[in-house]
Amino acid sequence: MSGYRLPSGGRIDRSRPVYFTFDGKSYQGFAGDTLASALLANGVMLFGRSFKYHRPRGILGSGSEEPNALVAVDRGPGRFTPNLRATNMELYEGLNAASQNRWPSLKTDFGAINDRLGMFFPAGFYNKTFMWPRSFWDRLYEPAIRKMAGLGDAPSEEDPDTYAATYAHCDLLIIGAGPAGIDAALMAAGTDRRVTLIDEQDEMGGGALADPALRAWLERSVKALNDAPNVTILTRTTAFGYYHDNFIGAVQRLTDHLPEILPATGRCPEGAEGPVEAAQNNPTQGSLGPPPPSALRAATSPLGGLPPREKLWRIRAGEVVLAQGAIERPLVFEDNDTPGVMLASAAKIFALRYGVAIGQSVALMAAHDSGWHDVFALAKAGVGIAAIIDMRETVDQALIDAALALNIRVELGAAVIGVDGRHAVRGIEIASTTGGNRRRIACDALLMAGGWTPSVHLWSHSKGTLKWRDDIGAYAPDQPNENARCVGACSGDWDFGQGAVIDMLPTPKDASRIKAFVDFQNDVTAKDIKLAVREGFRSIEHIKRYTTNGMATDQGKTSNLNGLQIASTALNKPVTDIGLTTFRPPYTPQTFGALAGHAKGELFQPLRKSPIDGWAQDHGAVFELVAQWRRARYFPKPGEDMHTAVNRECVAVRSSVGIFDASTLGKIEVVGPDAAEFLNRMYTNPWKALEPGRCRYGLLLKEDGFIMDDGVSARLAHDRFHLTTTTGGAARVLNMMEDYLQTEWPNLNVWLTSTTEQYAVIALQGPNARKLLEPLAEGIDLSAEAFPHMAIREGTICGIPTRLFRVSFTGELGFEINVPSAYARALWKRLMTAGAPHGITPYGTEAMHVLRAEKGFIIVGQDTDGTVTPGDAGLDWAVGKKKTDFVGKRSLARPDIVAAGRKQLVGLFTDDPNVVLEEGAQIVADPTQPIPMIMIGHVTSSYWSETLGRSIAMALVAGGHSKMGETLHIPMPGRTHTAKVSDMVFYDPEGARLNV
């Protein structure tokens, strides 16, 4: 006989049966059950298969420390979630769960052959095996390993659920609503502090939920906190990470405990409670059952349709109190992973909170007093106790007297050395700690009480220090790094009794031949850790990585201290000498949906549209995304593909006039008496002598001397500049400038304002641009003499206030019209009408790329890769030779920056003019060299030039400036092409077309 439902007791509602399925079989539980407690009540002991050996696994713990019972839950199309802990999965009507990591069934798993072959899979086997013959790796070993790796299956359908997110601020944040956390909240409830209390369970109470003696206190405390106006309570909320400045990330589960929501109505099936009905029927936050008012408030999705599944809380707290309690330690002995072997504290919780007995005849293997008290509670609840085995020779006489009073057999100075049964416990074998007097005890469940470990994961996230305490055999919080403190068992302050600190139970068997598990989730045994020590690993961090002990989602909750103790014994060093592993967020796994929130599909990132976007869409533009901006790529006419449309647009610009939406350029207003000095320090070229009304090309470097951004900017007055940046660089340039202004040069009187959204930019490019614009301009003389290239004038165009730049990114006569965004579309339409006699042609980003490449103009981020200097890009002329300093100047003199052989930007003419090279294609000097070849560069830009009647390309090539005229080779699918190195200016090198 295995688990069963006790005839009375627990906090479940026996008047509300709940029906669910597990592995296709139907079961019944009660409202208030978890999936784990309901299955145990139905006699189910087998929950899954282990990661590496595919051994049968049952329940070990009762909460988030559970390493074995990971299940998959299917809530309908797109709502498949793997690797959920059955101990944390609240039962609801229609729950459909399945076990994982088994085939063809849970009871009969062919993967269990790994257990028989365990001698071939020791710790680190993947680093030592499958290395020969090498050709087998790609074809045989890797596919097989990948197929077997992991536990649950990854979801394959799009997630239809919505997720909410919010920021919260409080004076005091308490994490953990057990007795210690509740006491901390009660102390603050009568103050003027804003208090937030969060707990991962469905109701407050923690360990008190399984202690009938505390029931009255708990009810009073919950009511008092619910009535306190300054206290906010968040149940079903897991704090998964503690970050700097008391910033806590937490996820609240809003609907996972409810029956399936109908997409069409956002409500539950008939007869079942949804989030609104549930909260109305039971509005008390701290009570058992339906969600608190916080779930009601979040029941309607901001996107419409279904209520949010989860809510991400980003909490900034003045003070944090960690009251997360402690985790009981399992004991290490042969077959300690058999289904039915469980932590003593978990068995007590199942019995007293859920009304479920783990077995008819339960034995205890103890090394700590707390296990005795748990067994006494079970006996009083009606659970049969077969024996208490304690490895200590002596224990408190009061414990022995209590056991005798309950007619419980006691075995002192003994240890479990084996467990009978594979899918469930059928009995145990014990022996004296000295190795003799072996005997068997009949039982159907075995409890372990190995002591307690403070839950210090969040404390460690905050970089608080830990100290070793011999009295509890564990690390406990020491000095805080944030304004935080630990209370209760989380701090190591408890009254659980005394215990012995051991690495593993003594056994007369050959320890090298038994499987005694330390990390149940990752199948790490005691002999794996000893093997790591024998192979030279001394630091626990190295041992962890070699064995995988305490890795993945478990993060060492039940395995860390046992692993440390075994390594300590093997190394013959104190635990403190071998270090402590690092706990990392998240404390327990969280869904990607909760972390992403609304950022999925069209809301994955903001879609920015220029004021001209609507016109472009109405006229058939094909769009592309550029740094969150939707930009018109080309404007095809009926029957045109992209190639044909781009050729037509390029010819129109070269022969008459084209119109281009350049509104996405970053724009920054720099104002103040020291504006010129500030820009002189930021950019490579001089700015102080620039006269008002003139423009200048600016090159911006990072401290390492590499190109960060560029753009043409104008001086409007002695104390005012209008800067432009690349579309993708606007935010980072402004951030960089603000950083220098506030930290390096706070004495400069300069103010920076982003005006990217305030101004739309319409570029007119081509030999007829002046003819088109002259009749529409007022107060601006457009003649070449009055308005030369690289100048700016202010006036009106079509009555609209305008900042008019005479600049060109095409090599043709060009103007960029900056107008307030609200007037942009009207002006665009007016220009299209006025330009009709000239054959005005709208062109997109693809034609813009071709036109600028013909002139050798670079695009930062495409023709540069973060390692390109001005000299590499042929922009030495943009570096002020007389300037004493600017950002990045010092780095330009580094030996590696001036060394020969650096990759430099050059042009390429393919020997076959019809071949358009692939952007990103690698370049080699000698195609006959063996593979892998030595790559000397790559193609950065490559286009067909209709103007030149041939292809052109730009490339970064090692020592490129010294290779003019040389032939290089570009391997591409099907053929290796040849190209000659050339100057980057392919068209009108004299610039005659620009200065007209």
Side-chain angles (χ1 to χ4, degrees):
M1 181 66 183
S2 300
Y4 64 96
R5 182 75 70 182
L6 291 169
S8 62
R11 298 173 65 86
I12 56 173
D13 187 347
R14 297 174 188 254
S15 67
R16 293 171 56 193
V18 177
Y19 297 92
F20 66 101
T21 62
F22 178 67
D23 279 349
K25 185 177 179 180
S26 296
Y27 296 94
Q28 177 197 306
F30 293 111
D33 263 324
T34 62
L35 176 61
S37 66
L39 286 173
L40 287 173
N42 282 276
V44 176
M45 304 300 289
L46 183 57
F47 280 72
R49 291 281 176 163
S50 70
F51 171 65
K52 184 165 69 173
Y53 298 123
H54 284 246
R55 288 169 65 94
R57 288 286 168 82
I59 296 289
L60 178 74
S62 61
S64 57
E65 78 280 1
E66 172 55 42
N68 293 330
L70 303 181
V71 301
V73 173
D74 190 349
R75 294 175 64 91
R79 294 185 173 88
F80 174 82
T81 308
N83 295 327
L84 294 174
R85 286 168 167 79
T87 50
N88 290 108
M89 190 71 206
E90 294 179 55
L91 202 64
Y92 60 82
E93 187 69 29
L95 171 63
N96 180 19
S99 57
Q100 303 180 145
N101 199 41
R102 78 289 187 277
W103 184 85
S105 69
L106 180 58
K107 191 169 184 179
T108 304
D109 177 20
F110 286 0
I113 188 65
N114 287 0
D115 193 25
R116 303 289 184 182
L117 303 175
M119 67 182 68
F120 300 108
F121 304 130
F125 78 95
Y126 33 78
N127 294 319
K128 305 174 183 177
T129 56
F130 308 122
M131 303 306 292
W132 183 90
R134 178 64 185 174
S135 61
F136 278 24
W137 175 258
D138 294 332
R139 292 181 295 169
L140 179 62
Y141 299 147
E142 184 178 15
I145 291 173
R146 285 190 178 278
K147 188 175 181 179
M148 295 186 67
L151 288 171
D153 296 326
S156 58
E157 297 178 295
E158 182 179 352
D159 183 0
D161 286 319
T162 59
Y163 299 84
T166 189
Y167 287 92
H169 298 80
C170 60
D171 299 306
L172 175 63
L173 173 64
I174 303 170
I175 300 174
I182 290 175
D183 278 342
L186 288 172
M187 292 178 64
T191 69
D192 59 356
R193 304 177 76 185
R194 295 170 298 168
V195 180
T196 299
L197 174 63
I198 69 176
D199 192 271
E200 65 182 355
Q201 299 194 69
D202 60 318
E203 57 178 333
M204 294 190 293
L209 296 172
D211 191 342
L214 294 178
R215 186 179 184 94
W217 169 85
L218 180 60
E219 290 178 353
R220 291 194 306 271
S221 300
V222 168
K223 184 179 185 306
L225 291 177
N226 280 324
D227 292 342
N230 66 321
V231 177
T232 299
I233 301 171
L234 298 175
T235 54
R236 297 188 176 92
T237 304
T238 300
F240 62 82
Y242 192 152
Y243 306 95
H244 65 279
D245 291 336
N246 271 5
F247 184 81
I248 305 293
V251 170
Q252 182 182 22
R253 302 178 302 281
L254 300 178
T255 61
D256 273 2
H257 60 291
L258 302 174
E260 183 179 355
I261 306 296
L262 300 179
T265 63
R267 301 183 69 82
C268 297
E270 184 175 355
E273 286 187 329
V276 175
E277 298 94 332
Q280 289 172 340
N281 293 341
N282 196 328
T284 304
Q285 285 178 289
S287 63
L288 174 71
S294 55
L296 173 60
R297 292 194 294 270
T300 302
S301 168
L303 304 180
L306 295 174
R309 176 186 176 187
E310 295 176 320
K311 187 173 186 178
L312 175 65
W313 289 82
R314 290 163 287 199
I315 307 171
R316 185 79 70 178
E319 180 187 9
V320 174
V321 170
L322 297 178
Q324 295 179 280
I327 298 172
E328 190 168 23
R329 257 176 272 166
L331 292 166
V332 182
F333 54 90
E334 184 177 16
D335 294 332
N336 60 339
D337 66 327
T338 304
V341 179
M342 179 184 292
L343 297 176
S345 58
K348 175 186 172 183
I349 289 171
F350 282 118
L352 301 188
R353 180 175 177 184
Y354 300 107
V356 176
I358 186 63
Q360 292 276 9
S361 180
V362 179
L364 168 69
M365 179 62 236
H368 198 278
D369 295 349
S370 64
W372 292 64
H373 295 292
D374 293 335
V375 163
F376 297 159
L378 292 179
K380 293 173 183 178
V383 179
I385 307 300
I388 294 177
I389 304 101
D390 198 310
M391 65 164 294
R392 296 172 292 175
E393 294 288 346
T394 60
V395 297
D396 188 343
Q397 185 61 41
L399 295 177
I400 297 176
D401 293 341
L404 293 176
L406 292 169
N407 198 29
I408 298 175
R409 171 183 174 184
V410 174
E411 296 275 357
L412 296 181
V416 173
I417 61 172
V419 179
D420 295 333
R422 182 163 180 82
H423 295 153
V425 175
R426 297 289 178 260
I428 57 174
E429 184 180 12
I430 69 172
S432 68
T433 54
T434 58
N437 193 20
R438 296 170 64 165
R439 54 220 185 262
R440 295 183 180 275
I441 297 177
C443 60
D444 59 2
L446 174 63
L447 308 184
M448 300 179 288
W452 294 84
T453 304
S455 186
V456 296
H457 292 70
L458 291 182
W459 179 266
S460 295
H461 293 178
S462 72
K463 296 186 178 181
T465 63
L466 298 170
K467 63 181 178 182
W468 177 259
R469 285 180 48 181
D470 287 321
D471 59 326
I472 62 174
Y475 280 99
D478 187 19
Q479 297 299 317
N481 183 58
E482 303 281 353
N483 185 17
R485 55 191 171 94
C486 292
V487 297
C490 179
S491 67
D493 179 18
W494 56 58
D495 56 357
F496 299 153
Q498 302 299 313
V501 179
I502 59 170
D503 52 1
M504 63 183 295
L505 293 181
T507 177
K509 300 180 181 180
D510 183 354
S512 66
R513 302 183 64 85
I514 65 175
K515 286 191 174 77
F517 287 89
V518 178
D519 187 322
F520 296 85
Q521 187 165 104
N522 296 303
D523 267 353
V524 180
T525 64
K527 62 183 178 184
D528 289 331
I529 295 176
K530 294 175 182 177
L531 174 64
V533 171
R534 288 201 307 272
E535 299 204 354
F537 296 97
R538 297 294 181 265
S539 165
I540 195 61
E541 288 283 12
H542 295 158
I543 295 171
K544 169 184 175 179
R545 280 152 184 80
Y546 187 72
T547 64
T548 70
N549 188 66
M551 294 180 67
T553 63
D554 182 63
Q555 285 295 295
K557 293 180 180 66
T558 57
S559 61
N560 194 53
L561 261 296
N562 283 334
L564 282 172
Q565 292 287 0
I566 293 170
S568 172
T569 301
L571 288 166
N572 195 27
K573 290 182 177 181
V575 167
T576 52
D577 287 357
I578 59 175
L580 178 66
T581 57
T582 302
F583 299 114
R584 294 181 173 86
Y587 174 67
T588 54
Q590 304 301 321
T591 63
F592 287 119
L595 301 181
H598 300 152
K600 69 175 186 175
E602 293 183 353
L603 297 179
F604 178 70
Q605 62 179 6
L607 180 63
R608 306 176 73 181
K609 298 180 181 180
S610 80
I612 316 299
D613 181 270
W615 185 95
Q617 180 170 316
D618 293 343
H619 288 78
V622 175
F623 293 96
E624 67 173 342
L625 287 177
V626 181
Q628 298 183 341
W629 286 95
R630 187 171 86 152
R631 304 192 70 182
R633 191 176 186 187
Y634 59 97
F635 293 84
K637 290 185 176 181
E640 286 186 336
D641 59 11
M642 185 180 79
H643 182 74
T644 306
V646 171
N647 289 344
R648 173 180 52 78
E649 292 170 11
C650 290
V651 170
V653 174
R654 295 291 184 212
S655 61
S656 183
V657 63
I659 186 170
F660 176 71
D661 181 10
S663 302
T664 63
L665 288 173
K667 293 170 279 289
I668 303 172
E669 198 97 344
V670 182
V671 181
D674 297 320
E677 173 63 26
F678 173 70
L679 295 179
N680 204 56
R681 298 182 186 183
M682 293 299 305
Y683 285 100
T684 62
N685 41 359
W687 287 81
K688 290 182 179 180
L690 185 67
E691 292 295 327
R694 299 292 295 181
C695 300
R696 176 153 292 167
Y697 174 78
L699 190 62
L700 190 65
L701 308 182
K702 295 181 293 182
E703 285 282 7
D704 54 17
F706 300 134
I707 296 174
M708 176 182 177
D709 202 81
D710 69 346
V712 174
S713 302
R715 189 168 195 172
L716 306 175
H718 285 286
D719 61 351
R720 184 178 296 268
F721 290 81
H722 177 122
L723 268 60
T724 66
T725 73
T726 59
T727 294
R732 66 173 177 264
V733 170
L734 180 61
N735 288 340
M736 177 183 178
M737 288 185 171
E738 282 283 10
D739 182 50
Y740 274 91
L741 187 59
Q742 294 181 33
T743 62
E744 301 298 324
W745 311 312
N747 58 307
L748 296 182
N749 291 322
V750 180
W751 292 266
L752 308 176
T753 305
S754 172
T755 57
T756 300
E757 304 282 0
Q758 280 63 44
Y759 283 99
V761 182
I762 300 172
L764 292 178
Q765 303 282 306
N768 288 325
R770 183 183 288 117
K771 294 179 183 179
L772 166 59
L773 200 55
E774 276 182 324
L776 307 177
E778 300 174 4
I780 304 175
D781 184 351
L782 296 184
S783 65
E785 297 76 16
F787 195 179
H789 180 58
M790 295 298 282
I792 180 175
R793 299 291 183 265
E794 295 187 86
T796 62
I797 295 177
C798 296
I800 301 171
T802 301
R803 289 178 178 176
L804 184 62
F805 286 66
R806 185 178 167 189
V807 294
S808 174
F809 200 46
T810 64
E812 303 293 335
L813 170 66
F815 298 92
E816 290 185 359
I817 308 168
N818 289 257
V819 295
S821 295
Y823 298 99
R825 183 164 179 174
L827 178 58
W828 179 282
K829 294 168 69 174
R830 182 71 181 86
L831 291 170
M832 287 296 297
T833 300
H838 303 288
I840 189 171
T841 299
Y843 66 98
T845 56
E846 195 67 26
M848 177 269 290
H849 278 281
V850 176
L851 295 167
R852 65 90 192 173
E854 290 173 346
K855 288 293 296 178
F857 298 149
I858 72 167
I859 290 183
V860 174
Q862 177 168 332
D863 299 305
T864 65
D865 62 359
T867 65
V868 175
T869 67
D872 299 335
L875 296 174
D876 282 326
W877 56 269
V879 178
K881 303 301 186 292
K882 297 181 180 180
K883 291 185 66 173
T884 58
D885 198 12
F886 55 82
V887 174
K889 177 178 174 60
R890 180 178 57 182
S891 294
L892 294 181
R894 291 192 343 237
D896 60 310
I897 295 296
V898 298
R902 287 187 57 79
K903 289 184 179 180
Q904 297 167 331
L905 205 56
V906 296
L908 292 179
F909 275 130
T910 54
D911 290 343
D912 182 346
N914 294 311
V915 171
V916 179
L917 299 174
E918 292 181 355
E919 291 183 349
Q922 297 295 305
I923 300 172
V924 300
D926 177 12
T928 64
Q929 62 182 296
I931 296 175
M933 298 182 179
I934 298 175
M935 304 298 176
I936 64 171
H938 70 278
V939 178
T940 63
S941 298
S942 180
Y943 310 99
W944 171 262
S945 169
E946 188 69 7
T947 302
L948 299 174
R950 62 157 299 124
S951 66
I952 58 173
M954 300 164 69
L956 279 170
V957 177
H961 294 167
S962 64
K963 296 183 183 296
M964 293 297 164
E966 292 186 16
T967 298
L968 301 179
H969 304 268
I970 303 93
M972 284 170 44
R975 182 181 173 187
T976 296
H977 300 280
T978 55
K980 288 186 171 57
V981 179
S982 72
D983 185 78
M984 288 193 300
V985 183
F986 304 103
Y987 176 73
D988 186 28
E990 298 82 14
R993 301 179 64 86
L994 189 67
N995 298 299
V996 295

